[in-house]
Amino acid sequence: MQAGLRLTFAIIALLALGALLPPHLNGNWVHVLTLFFMMASLAQAWNLIGGYAGYASFGNVTFFGVGAYCCAYAMNVLLWPFWGAALLSLALAAALAALFGWPILRLRGHYFAIATLGIAIGMGALVAELPALGKGSGMTLPINSNFHFFYWTMLGILIASIVFTALISRSRFGYALVAIRENEEAAAVLGINAARMKVAAWAASAAITGAVGATYAYWTSFIDPPTVFDLNFNVLMIIMTLLGGAGSVVGPAIGSFILSAIGEYLGAQSVSPWHTVVLGAIIVIVVIVLPRGIMPYLTGGLRAWNLNALRAQLRATRI
């Protein structure tokens, strides 16, 4: 526990120091790091419902798209400043998660996953048919030429999401979510209102995702349904969380960094067009060897890095 807490403080301190970097970086590195902060924030958000509550949502991209379109509408039609539009996006995403959550979170396992996937596909199709949202042609947003602004904003969301997760992990709410993940029936016997806790977790996850979506929309200055409701975002959220360690405080951020670094390296090498194949193979191998993610190795000390521990993990996954 203490090792995990020290690692969390170290990651937060390192990210805070990262706020000083933009003046010393070229435009490409600012873009790459901004994208990393974005994906890490999305993974941190997914971790609340998928890692702590144990409900694998394939529909979190819904709230990313809703946040993006809400921000575009608020800035273009309502003429709101970005911060007001972002807060509205956050609130709307959380409200939609609560609305969808009451019926959907009664499902479990692959039924829940399929239902959330259907919501994501359906919401993307709905937005593409609404004239007020540009239908399928998308929407443009005011251009902000200060690209450091988006670096700092995405970094701020990431730090806030890690701190929020750390607070939840040590609260009664966090313990309740873990109990639901381990055994929902036993949690109910202990007096935990599982339905309310799951809805709250999904709403918190959606709020972070909606804020990221709003920032992304302002960053790119143009959005359309295929872009902001892209299911690949959701797949990456899940993979990054599992790679780092689902149900841990900083595991998703670490997994995001590892996967982003591998992707950037392969993209810069001559392995393209095999880039995606090589990256996929690496992901499969890592998930097999590290079924609980890399966090147990970072917090377990030297005892975790031994052949017996690896054999035990492989046996646990029937390999």
Side-chain angles (χ1 to χ4, degrees), residues 63 91-103 105 198-199 201-207:
F63 312 119
L92 179 60
L96 282 177
L99 179 64
F100 293 145
W102 280 114
L105 282 165
K198 290 185 294 184
V199 169
W202 208 21
S205 174

Side-chain angles (χ1 to χ4, degrees), residues 58-110:
F58 280 82
N60 265 37
V61 71
T62 301
F63 312 119
F64 181 81
V66 166
Y69 266 96
C70 180
C71 180
Y73 184 85
M75 294 187 73
N76 284 343
V77 180
L78 303 181
L79 303 180
W80 284 18
F82 167 71
W83 294 113
L87 287 175
L88 181 62
S89 300
L90 182 154
L92 179 60
L96 282 177
L99 179 64
F100 293 145
W102 280 114
I104 296 298
L105 282 165
R106 299 179 186 276
L107 303 173
R108 298 186 187 181
H110 57 279

Side-chain angles (χ1 to χ4, degrees), residues 188-268:
V189 172
L190 293 174
I192 295 174
N193 189 326
R196 184 179 301 172
M197 294 297 177
K198 290 185 294 184
V199 169
W202 208 21
S205 174
I208 298 172
T209 307
V212 175
T215 308
Y216 175 80
Y218 192 29
W219 183 27
T220 59
S221 300
F222 175 79
I223 57 172
D224 59 1
T227 300
V228 295
F229 289 97
D230 187 355
L231 294 176
N232 286 328
F233 279 125
N234 218 108
V235 173
L236 287 173
M237 293 180 212
I238 297 173
I239 293 174
M240 289 174 171
T241 303
L242 295 180
L243 178 59
S248 62
V249 176
V250 294
I254 294 173
S256 301
F257 173 77
I258 294 173
L259 198 63
S260 298
I262 293 173
E264 285 297 320
Y265 176 78
L266 292 177

Side-chain angles (χ1 to χ4, degrees), residues 71-297:
C71 180
Y73 184 85
M75 294 187 73
N76 284 343
V77 180
L78 303 181
L79 303 180
W80 284 18
F82 167 71
W83 294 113
L87 287 175
L88 181 62
S89 300
L90 182 154
L92 179 60
L96 282 177
L99 179 64
F100 293 145
W102 280 114
I104 296 298
L105 282 165
R106 299 179 186 276
L107 303 173
R108 298 186 187 181
H110 57 279
Y111 297 106
F112 172 76
I114 292 173
T116 56
L117 180 62
I119 289 175
I121 295 173
M123 186 63 70
L126 176 63
V127 168
E129 295 299 324
L130 294 177
L133 299 179
K135 299 190 73 171
S137 60
M139 297 184 72
T140 58
L141 289 87
I143 296 176
N144 186 338
S145 58
N146 181 10
F147 52 90
H148 291 170
F149 170 83
F150 302 105
Y151 175 100
W152 285 318
T153 303
M154 289 294 191
L155 175 59
I157 294 174
L158 176 56
I159 293 175
S161 64
I162 292 175
V163 172
F164 182 63
T165 304
L167 294 175
I168 284 180
S169 69
R170 291 176 169 268
S171 68
R172 294 181 62 184
F173 177 49
Y175 296 141
L177 291 179
V178 172
I180 291 170
R181 181 189 69 200
E182 297 301 323
N183 191 319
E184 193 164 332
E185 287 76 13
V189 172
L190 293 174
I192 295 174
N193 189 326
R196 184 179 301 172
M197 294 297 177
K198 290 185 294 184
V199 169
W202 208 21
S205 174
I208 298 172
T209 307
V212 175
T215 308
Y216 175 80
Y218 192 29
W219 183 27
T220 59
S221 300
F222 175 79
I223 57 172
D224 59 1
T227 300
V228 295
F229 289 97
D230 187 355
L231 294 176
N232 286 328
F233 279 125
N234 218 108
V235 173
L236 287 173
M237 293 180 212
I238 297 173
I239 293 174
M240 289 174 171
T241 303
L242 295 180
L243 178 59
S248 62
V249 176
V250 294
I254 294 173
S256 301
F257 173 77
I258 294 173
L259 198 63
S260 298
I262 293 173
E264 285 297 320
Y265 176 78
L266 292 177
Q269 304 303 309
S270 57
V271 296
S272 185
W274 294 95
H275 169 217
T276 305
V277 176
V278 174
L279 183 59
I282 292 173
I283 292 170
V284 171
I285 293 171
V286 170
V287 169
I288 290 174
V289 177
L290 306 172
R292 292 188 297 145
I294 199 171
M295 278 300 290
Y297 292 89

